[in-house]
């Protein structure tokens, strides 16, 4: 490795610009913004030593190292892949997989429980964590088992490129050979991919020859042969070859930027070619490797080693659907010694996978066969079965102790320094972790992971990136526990009041919300103590402070994190799992719309049960790679919404309502806690949690656990904390607030309320004389989501019907009782209705009194015409995008701008006399995009809202056009 780095250092001035395109040279350094290569100064590369560092603490790992780690970070590669890339860039020959790199494990690996030691963390990093322990795919013996071997058991050498090209060229020029491949559903791409050729052997002439492919995709010096009917002469059989059985990789595991971690076993190379031909472009199949034996029913020696099968996340046995294939699958399952899935070709579609695809099988159908495959478990042995009972250490309360993972900076003297994740126990003990001793050859996934006190854990501890417990407070806590005193710097009874003070930066219509939120914040620090915790719904109209209130709760909560509408459902699920504290969702509906239906449905279903510990551990399917992950969703969550949650989360939530209040406009925003006081408050909350976890658990089990309906269940943690603090006034306030919660969850707005809220928001956006009905529907969908009011997924709620919207608007006096006009845009007609001036005046007055800014007046189709699709708030459910893009592609941007000017001119000419009286006595003129449409006071004798004599009734009159 040192030699490789030296070669890179000799060409550092060529290497850095290639890795970091925006880098610039400053003296003896190269400077860039980050490993992404943009311009900036955060990242520096020393040209003389080849060392680099990114000074941004939020940058992902690795953030420093040598030129090899720079390649790893810039290209997103593993250490081995980075070395392979470097060799290729330098023009060096590619090495075999005989000596793969091994990741260094953390301290304690391979040893049993040690005596707990007291450690004083010195510095806590704010960046992400790095899990100790080797990747099983980096195990040298595992990789050696995957290699094709010769008669002497050594890996076969790479094949001659010249020979391969010559054989393949002959096949591509032979119509009979190409016709044979096409009859099996293959083409020239498959021939080139697998180096298929025609060769005359000692046994036969014009045989289909193909080299064995290794796990890195490299062909080796060993050919196998198939008979081409009507072309091959003197063939000894349908297929033949020399040498003992070995693995043939149709889709190699180590060919791409990251290992493929699921394995599919087929019966024969031709089936492997068919699977590659149909699956290699499918996103869901990018982590699926395909292997077969070179000798059909004879198994390679490597397959008899359990380590060959152990590291794969899933193993599928896809042998032929006949008695021989079934017997072969049973034999392989016995060798694997682990759960496998048996995948069979459906009845009536042949016996192998070539037959399946020729019979009309599709990649999507194949994916469904994988998902529904029968699971074969290995037979148990012995008299007793011992089931593991690991805990999630990120949310663990075990044996009367609360466990909190933290990241420390460990000084090892002459050896240097390193970051290490340890676990602080609530009695002041700092625990390491590692694998318990195991028999030689035990696969990594079968090793037992445990803390130093013997607690078996489900996965390595992780200190969240958003960890909010400072190093100073941790050391103070450890020293205080050792001395037998409290590390609190404030009276515990003052904690709720301090939290409420910070939350009052958002003015709520009632006091209950502050108290419930404050106790919810405290619950997030000790949620592992309870069997169920509350979810919070912050609900109110747009501009009422919902987002800010949720952000403040996250700012105060344990490891608080805000998930915005720009986050996918899959990412949100991982955040919940990794945080282990309070998670706030700002616009859950937007998260749902940005994700695929399957992932969104998973997230919503898991949120339903995440309030309860026994139902919060779930298997999450990553739909992109079809990987199944076990995630922990348990914990306090805050969800903001404009109109409630409908049937999504129901009675699992405590409701906090917001409203637009005049105090916000008149008195300004109340001040929160200063940064230093806020930091001290969070530290005290952590200390309070660690010092009182056992007492809280005892009180909870004795007084509140498992009693009453669901509201009682989710309120139990709040009652436990209030009672434990010993503040009778706090207890009385909480009981009154909970009493008022009964029935609030049923306060769901009607469809008409949804329509009115959407219409008011459209008016605020500047559409104060005419609106497009589809615009109102889009706004309603943005506010409440497509599932509002639907009992079944196939239902279309009536509030999404523009005709119903127009009828209700006229019935309630929000729109004029005249027939809607239909101007054309993007070769489509839009229904436009004229608003009643009295209704607009009332809405405008409400906004101004609440201090909500109004946007300038707009013509009714400006919401689509003036906004690029990529910036549109309705992009995720808009059905106009395709027509708009097709129209612009056909006629051009100039024509679109001309149409924009035409509509604005028509709007000014036709409704220029329609005025909306404002509360200050002025007038809002409803024409065009001009924000300066204010004219003094009285409009004369003309009645406000009435058209000019002789003026058309509405914009876009069909006869006039």
């Amino acid at each position: 490795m040192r030699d490789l780095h030296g070669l890179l250092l000799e060409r550092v001035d060529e290497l850095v610009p290639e890795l970091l395109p925006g880098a610039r040279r400053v003296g003896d350094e190269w400077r860039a913004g980050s490993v992404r290569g943009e311009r900036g100064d955060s990242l520096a590369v020393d040209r003389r030593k080849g060392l680099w560092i990114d000074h941004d603490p939020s940058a992902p790992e690795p953030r420093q190292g040598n030129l090899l780690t720079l390649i790893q970070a810039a290209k997103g590669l593993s250490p081995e892949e980075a070395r392979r890339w470097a060799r290729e860039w330098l023009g060096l020959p590619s090495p075999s997989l005989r000596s793969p790199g091994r990741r260094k494990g953390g301290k304690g690996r391979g040893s049993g429980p040690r005596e707990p030691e007291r450690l004083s963390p010195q510095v806590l990093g704010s960046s992400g964590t790095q899990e100790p322990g080797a990747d099983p795919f980096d195990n040298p013996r595992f990789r050696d088992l995957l290699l094709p071997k010769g008669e002497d058991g050594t890996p076969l050498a790479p094949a001659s490129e010249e020979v391969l090209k010559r054989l393949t060229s002959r096949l591509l020029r032979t119509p009979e050979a190409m016709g044979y491949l096409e009859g099996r559903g293959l083409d020239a791409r498959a021939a080139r991919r697998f180096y298929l050729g025609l060769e005359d052997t000692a046994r036969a002439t014009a045989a289909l020859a193909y080299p064995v492919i290794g796990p890195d995709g490299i062909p080796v010096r060993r050919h196998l042969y198939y008979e081409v009917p009507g072309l091959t002469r003197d063939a000894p059989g349908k297929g033949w070859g020399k040498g003992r059985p070995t693995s043939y990789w149709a889709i190699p595991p180590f060919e791409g930027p990251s290992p493929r971690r699921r394995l599919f076993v087929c019966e024969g190379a031709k089936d492997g070619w068919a699977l590659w031909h149909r699956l290699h472009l499918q996103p869901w199949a990018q982590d699926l490797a395909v292997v077969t034996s070179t000798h059909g029913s004879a198994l390679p020696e490597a397959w008899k080693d359990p380590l060959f099968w152990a590291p794969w996340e899933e193993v599928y046995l896809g042998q032929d659907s006949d008695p021989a294939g079934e017997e072969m699958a049973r034999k392989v399952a016995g060798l694997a010694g682990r759960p496998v899935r048996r995948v069979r070709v459906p009845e009536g579609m042949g016996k192998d996978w070539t037959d399946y695809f020729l019979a009309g099988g599709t990649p999507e159908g194949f994916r469904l066969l994988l998902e529904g495959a029968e699971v074969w478990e290995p037979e148990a042995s012995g008299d007793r079965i011992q089931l593991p009972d690991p805990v999630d250490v990120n949310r663990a309360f075990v044996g009367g102790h609360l466990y909190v993972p933290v990241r420390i900076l460990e000084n090892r003297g002459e050896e240097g320094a390193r970051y290490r994740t340890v676990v602080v126990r609530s009695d002041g003990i700092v625990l390491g972790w590692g694998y318990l001793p195991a028999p030689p050859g035990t696969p990594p996934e079968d090793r037992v992971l445990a803390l130093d006190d013997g607690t078996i854990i489900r996965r390595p501890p992780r200190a969240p990136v958003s960890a909010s417990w400072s190093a100073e407070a941790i050391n103070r806590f450890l020293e205080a526990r050792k001395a037998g005193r409290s590390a609190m710097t404030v009276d515990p009874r003052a904690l709720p009041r301090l939290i409420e003070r910070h939350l009052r930066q958002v003015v709520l219509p009632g006091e209950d919300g502050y108290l419930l939120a404050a106790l919810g914040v405290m619950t997030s620090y000790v949620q592992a103590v309870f069997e169920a915790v509350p979810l919070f719904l912050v609900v109110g109209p747009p501009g009422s402070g919902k987002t800010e209130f949720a952000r403040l709760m996250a700012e105060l909560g344990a490891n608080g994190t805000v998930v915005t509408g720009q986050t996918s459902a899959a990412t949100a699920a991982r955040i919940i799992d990794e945080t282990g504290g309070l998670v706030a969702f700002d616009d859950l509906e937007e998260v749902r719309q940005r994700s695929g239906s399957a992932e969104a449905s998973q997230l919503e279903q898991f949120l339903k049960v995440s309030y309860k510990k026994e139902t919060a551990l779930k298997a999450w399917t990553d739909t992109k790679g079809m990987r199944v992950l076990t995630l922990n969703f348990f914990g306090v969550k805050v969800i903001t919404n404009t109109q409630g949650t409908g049937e999504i989360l129901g009675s699992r939530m405590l409701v906090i309502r917001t409203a637009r209040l005049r105090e916000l406009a008149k008195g300004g925003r109340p001040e929160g806690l200063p940064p230093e006081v806020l930091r001290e408050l969070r530290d005290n909350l952590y200390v309070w949690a660690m010092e009182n976890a056992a007492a809280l658990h005892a009180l909870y089990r004795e007084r509140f656990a498992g009693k009453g309906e669901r509201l009682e269940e989710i309120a139990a943690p709040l009652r436990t904390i209030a009672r434990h603090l010993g503040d009778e006034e706090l207890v009385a306030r909480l009981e009154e607030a909970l009493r008022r919660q009964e029935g609030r969850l049923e306060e769901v707005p009607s469809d008409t309320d949804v329509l009115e809220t959407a219409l008011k928001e459209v008016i605020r956006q500047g559409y104060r004389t005419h609106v497009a009905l589809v615009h109102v529907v889009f706004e309603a969908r943005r506010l409440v989501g497509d599932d509002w009011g639907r009992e079944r997924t196939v239902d279309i709620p009536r509030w999404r019907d523009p005709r119903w919207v127009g009828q209700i608007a006229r019935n309630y006096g929000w729109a004029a009782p005249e027939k809607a006009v239909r101007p054309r845009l993007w070769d489509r007609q839009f229904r436009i209705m004229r608003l009643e001036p009295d209704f607009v005046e009332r809405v405008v007055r409400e906004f101004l009194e609440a201090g909500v800014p109004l946007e300038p007046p707009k013509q009714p189709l400006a919401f689509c015409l003036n906004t690029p699709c990529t910036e549109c708030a309705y992009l995720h459910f808009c059905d106009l995008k395709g027509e708009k893009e097709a129209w612009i592609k056909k006629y051009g941007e100039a024509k679109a701008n001309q149409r924009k000017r035409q509509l604005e001119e028509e709007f000014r000419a036709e409704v220029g006399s329609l005025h909306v009286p404002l509360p200050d006595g002025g007038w809002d003129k409803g024409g065009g995009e001009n924000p300066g449409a204010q004219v003094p006071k009285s409009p004369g004798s003309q009645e406000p809202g009435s058209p000019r004599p002789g003026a058309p009734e509405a914009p876009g009159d069909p006869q006039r056009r």
Side-chain angles (χ1 to χ4, degrees):
M1 187 185 303
R2 287 192 296 270
D3 293 341
L4 188 61
H5 185 266
L7 293 172
L8 292 171
L9 184 58
E10 292 175 2
R11 298 173 59 185
V12 64
D13 290 336
E14 299 175 49
L15 176 66
V16 174
E18 179 161 341
L19 297 175
L20 311 172
R24 57 189 177 88
R25 182 171 165 180
V26 181
D28 286 327
E29 288 185 347
W30 283 94
R31 299 279 183 84
S34 71
V35 293
R36 293 187 296 271
E38 73 273 21
R39 294 184 63 84
D41 295 298
S42 176
L43 185 148
V45 183
D46 189 326
R47 297 177 55 251
R48 295 170 300 176
K49 300 179 180 179
L51 302 179
W52 69 280
I53 184 172
D54 191 340
H55 296 283
D56 183 2
S58 64
E61 295 286 353
R63 296 208 316 270
Q64 59 183 347
N66 58 19
L67 294 177
L68 285 167
T69 56
L70 180 62
I71 295 172
Q72 178 184 342
K75 295 291 185 180
L77 305 176
S78 68
E80 181 181 350
E81 290 166 344
R83 292 191 290 274
R84 185 182 304 173
W85 186 95
R87 290 188 184 98
E88 293 176 356
W89 187 80
L90 291 167
L92 302 178
S94 298
S96 69
L97 296 178
R98 298 181 193 178
S99 303
R102 180 193 294 269
R103 299 178 186 173
K104 294 184 179 180
K107 184 178 180 180
R109 285 179 49 80
S111 60
R114 303 187 298 273
E115 282 296 319
E117 56 178 337
R118 293 184 181 272
L119 301 176
S120 181
Q122 298 158 0
V123 178
L124 290 178
S126 60
S127 63
T129 63
Q130 181 177 349
E131 295 184 7
D135 184 341
F137 275 66
D138 281 347
N139 186 306
R141 198 167 74 82
F142 168 68
R143 292 207 171 203
D144 183 69
L145 288 170
L146 306 187
L147 292 168
K149 304 287 181 63
E151 294 301 313
D152 58 355
T154 60
L156 294 167
S160 166
E161 290 187 15
E162 181 180 351
V163 171
L164 294 177
K165 289 180 180 179
R166 176 172 51 81
L167 297 179
T168 301
S169 177
R170 180 182 174 188
L171 180 140
L172 294 174
R173 296 194 311 268
T174 306
E176 295 87 347
M178 290 305 300
Y180 171 72
L181 293 180
E182 290 168 0
R184 303 191 65 84
L186 305 175
D187 57 17
R189 291 176 299 169
R192 294 188 178 95
R193 158 73 182 185
F194 295 105
Y195 309 96
L196 307 183
L198 284 182
E199 184 178 4
D200 298 329
T201 71
R203 292 187 176 185
T205 59
L208 176 63
Y210 61 98
V212 175
I213 305 292
D216 50 6
I218 298 176
V220 299
R221 288 182 180 271
R222 181 177 173 187
H223 272 75
L224 301 170
Y225 304 93
Y226 278 124
E227 177 190 17
V228 179
L231 179 64
T232 306
R233 297 184 179 276
D234 303 322
K238 292 184 177 180
W240 68 97
K242 293 182 179 180
R244 62 182 183 176
T246 191
S247 299
Y248 177 90
W249 294 95
I251 302 182
F254 298 112
E255 186 179 34
S258 59
R260 295 183 169 99
R261 296 180 181 269
R262 296 186 299 152
L263 179 65
F264 185 92
V265 185
C266 63
E267 190 173 330
K270 288 187 283 191
D271 272 4
W273 303 340
L275 288 166
W276 172 86
H277 187 69
R278 298 302 182 112
L279 302 182
H280 75 284
L281 295 179
Q282 299 297 318
W284 62 265
Q286 296 308 300
D287 69 337
L288 185 69
V290 175
V291 71
T292 186
S293 170
T294 54
H295 281 59
S297 59
L299 299 182
E301 193 66 26
W303 290 20
K304 300 174 183 178
D305 192 323
L307 183 59
F308 181 92
W309 308 99
W312 305 96
E313 294 181 357
E314 200 73 76
V315 173
Y316 304 95
L317 303 184
Q319 283 81 3
D320 292 355
S321 295
D322 56 17
E326 199 70 16
E327 180 182 354
M328 179 62 58
R330 289 287 179 188
K331 186 185 296 185
V332 173
L335 296 176
R338 54 159 290 168
V340 297
R341 290 179 176 268
R342 177 66 170 117
V343 189
R344 300 178 180 89
V345 176
E347 186 175 353
M349 301 185 75
K351 71 170 187 175
D352 58 31
W353 299 107
T354 300
D355 295 341
Y356 170 75
F357 290 116
L358 291 177
T362 64
E364 181 62 20
F366 183 78
R367 182 179 71 84
L368 296 176
L369 290 175
L370 296 184
E371 292 180 359
E374 175 187 359
V375 178
W376 286 357
E377 296 281 357
E379 295 182 1
S381 61
D383 297 330
R384 298 181 60 188
I385 296 177
Q386 197 170 17
L387 298 177
D389 189 24
V391 300
D392 185 349
V393 73
N394 284 16
R395 298 170 173 82
F397 179 78
V398 182
H401 297 303
L402 192 64
Y403 293 77
V404 177
V406 297
R407 184 175 168 91
I408 67 172
L409 179 62
E410 186 180 56
N411 190 346
R412 301 180 63 85
E414 294 181 357
E415 297 181 17
R418 68 173 182 179
Y419 284 114
R420 187 158 71 98
T421 299
V422 297
V423 179
V424 179
R425 203 168 67 184
S426 56
D427 60 353
I429 302 297
V430 178
L431 302 169
W433 56 277
Y435 288 99
L436 300 182
T442 301
E445 69 274 11
D446 293 338
R447 301 285 298 275
V448 179
L449 192 63
L451 300 177
D452 287 347
D453 64 357
T455 301
I456 298 176
I457 55 179
R458 185 167 62 88
R459 58 184 177 183
R462 297 179 183 177
V465 176
S466 56
S468 46
W469 198 6
S470 72
E472 179 185 357
I474 294 175
N475 288 321
R476 187 176 75 240
F477 166 74
L478 297 176
E479 294 168 1
R481 292 303 263 180
K482 186 176 181 180
R485 54 181 172 81
S486 174
M488 296 283 293
T489 60
V490 299
D491 185 340
R493 288 177 294 183
L495 294 175
R497 293 195 297 272
L498 289 170
I499 297 173
E500 286 189 64
R501 175 184 164 186
H502 195 65
L503 292 174
R504 289 182 184 277
Q505 294 177 78
V506 175
V507 180
L508 301 180
E511 291 292 309
D512 291 353
Y514 299 117
L515 177 61
L516 294 175
L519 293 176
V521 166
M522 296 183 71
T523 300
S524 70
Y525 287 85
V526 288
Q527 58 190 19
V529 166
F530 307 110
E531 297 302 318
V533 295
L535 311 179
F536 291 87
L537 172 66
V538 183
V539 61
S544 59
K546 301 184 301 299
T547 296
E548 179 67 4
F549 195 81
R551 186 191 65 78
L552 291 173
M553 289 187 68
E555 189 175 42
L556 292 161
N559 303 335
T561 302
V562 178
V563 177
T564 67
Q566 303 303 310
T567 308
S568 68
T571 303
R574 288 180 176 273
I575 290 174
I576 295 172
D577 175 67
E578 295 177 1
T579 297
L582 189 148
V583 179
F585 281 87
D586 179 21
D587 198 347
L588 177 61
E589 179 60 27
E590 181 71 12
V591 175
R592 189 192 70 81
Q593 292 171 358
R594 285 182 59 85
S595 309
S597 58
E599 286 185 346
S601 177
Q602 280 191 94
L603 181 63
E604 291 177 357
Q605 292 298 323
F606 293 167
L607 285 177
K608 286 183 181 181
V609 296
S610 67
Y611 77 102
K612 204 164 187 174
K613 186 181 293 184
E614 68 179 11
T615 58
L617 199 64
K618 291 293 181 181
W620 173 273
T621 302
D622 183 353
T623 56
K624 291 185 177 179
M626 294 309 298
R627 295 174 57 187
V628 179
L629 310 172
T630 301
L631 304 182
N632 192 338
F633 287 80
F634 181 65
V636 177
K637 296 173 191 67
V638 183
I639 297 173
T640 69
N641 202 298
T642 305
Q643 297 291 336
T645 59
E647 298 297 325
I648 296 178
L649 300 174
S651 58
R652 300 156 177 88
M653 312 192 81
L654 297 176
V655 180
I656 298 174
R657 297 198 176 276
T658 61
R660 296 193 185 100
L661 300 176
R662 296 183 181 182
E663 288 84 344
L664 287 175
K666 294 182 178 180
R669 170 190 170 120
E671 292 186 4
L673 299 175
E676 62 276 7
V677 178
L678 180 62
R679 183 169 55 252
E680 183 183 7
L681 173 58
R682 285 195 297 260
D683 286 339
N684 275 297
L685 285 166
Y686 265 113
V687 172
W688 166 81
M690 299 292 273
E691 292 180 352
N692 296 278
L696 285 167
H697 183 257
L699 178 61
Y700 171 72
R701 300 294 297 177
E702 177 186 354
R703 297 283 300 275
F704 303 109
K707 298 180 181 180
E709 301 295 331
R710 185 167 289 156
L711 179 59
E712 300 293 319
E713 188 178 28
I714 63 176
L718 310 188
R719 287 188 166 113
T720 301
I721 293 172
R723 183 67 63 180
H724 183 266
L725 290 173
D727 188 333
E728 293 301 326
E729 180 184 354
L730 182 69
V731 172
R733 288 179 59 203
L734 174 61
E735 292 302 324
E736 182 62 21
L738 292 174
R739 185 188 65 80
R740 282 192 284 265
Q741 280 291 308
E742 298 179 3
R744 279 197 174 186
L745 295 169
E746 300 176 1
E747 296 177 7
V748 179
S750 65
D751 290 347
T752 303
D753 294 332
V754 172
L755 171 58
E756 183 180 15
T757 301
L759 192 55
K760 288 182 177 179
E761 174 58 20
V762 170
I763 291 173
R764 186 199 66 77
Q765 294 172 8
Y767 303 89
R768 290 191 274 278
T769 59
H770 292 76
V771 297
L773 295 181
V774 69
H775 185 191
V776 180
V777 172
F778 281 172
E779 185 60 35
R781 294 172 72 178
R782 187 185 70 84
L783 292 174
V784 301
D786 285 350
D787 291 333
W788 183 274
R790 289 202 297 190
E791 296 182 1
R792 299 179 299 273
T793 56
V794 296
D795 292 344
I796 298 179
R798 59 182 180 177
W799 57 265
R800 284 177 52 182
D801 183 354
R803 290 173 297 182
W804 183 86
V805 170
Q807 179 182 350
I808 294 299
R810 291 190 295 270
N811 291 347
Y812 277 76
W814 303 333
E818 59 197 37
K819 184 178 180 180
V821 295
R822 302 185 180 187
R824 295 187 66 83
L825 181 63
W826 319 132
D827 290 333
R828 172 191 282 212
Q829 286 186 327
F830 288 78
R831 294 170 179 261
I832 305 293
M833 67 179 179
R834 181 168 66 86
L835 299 176
E836 287 288 358
D838 292 341
F839 171 68
V840 177
E841 177 185 357
R842 174 166 59 84
V843 172
V844 169
R845 181 178 289 109
E846 290 175 0
F847 281 131
L848 293 179
E849 290 177 350
V852 177
L854 302 176
E855 295 184 20
K858 300 181 178 70
Q859 58 94 353
L861 297 182
F863 76 97
C864 182
L865 185 56
N866 295 7
T867 306
C869 289
T870 55
E871 301 175 10
C872 181
Y874 315 122
L875 174 61
H876 301 298
F877 46 76
C878 176
D879 57 358
L880 304 175
K881 181 173 181 290
E883 298 175 9
K884 179 178 179 179
E885 290 178 344
W887 193 95
I888 293 178
K889 183 177 180 180
K890 181 177 180 180
Y891 296 106
E893 291 285 352
K895 189 71 178 268
N897 291 330
Q898 179 184 354
R899 183 67 179 130
K900 174 182 176 181
R901 291 191 297 270
Q902 181 184 3
L903 284 172
E904 290 175 356
E905 291 170 0
E906 291 176 358
F907 185 66
R908 290 192 184 97
E910 295 175 354
V911 299
S913 64
L914 295 179
H915 296 75
V916 178
L918 298 178
D920 62 358
W923 294 83
D924 181 12
K925 188 174 182 180
E929 301 289 338
N930 180 14
Q934 297 267 343
V935 296
K937 305 252 178 171
S938 173
S941 59
Q942 182 178 330
E943 182 179 355
S946 61
R948 301 189 312 273
E953 291 187 1
D957 183 272
Q959 295 180 357
R960 179 179 182 275
R961 181 165 289 104

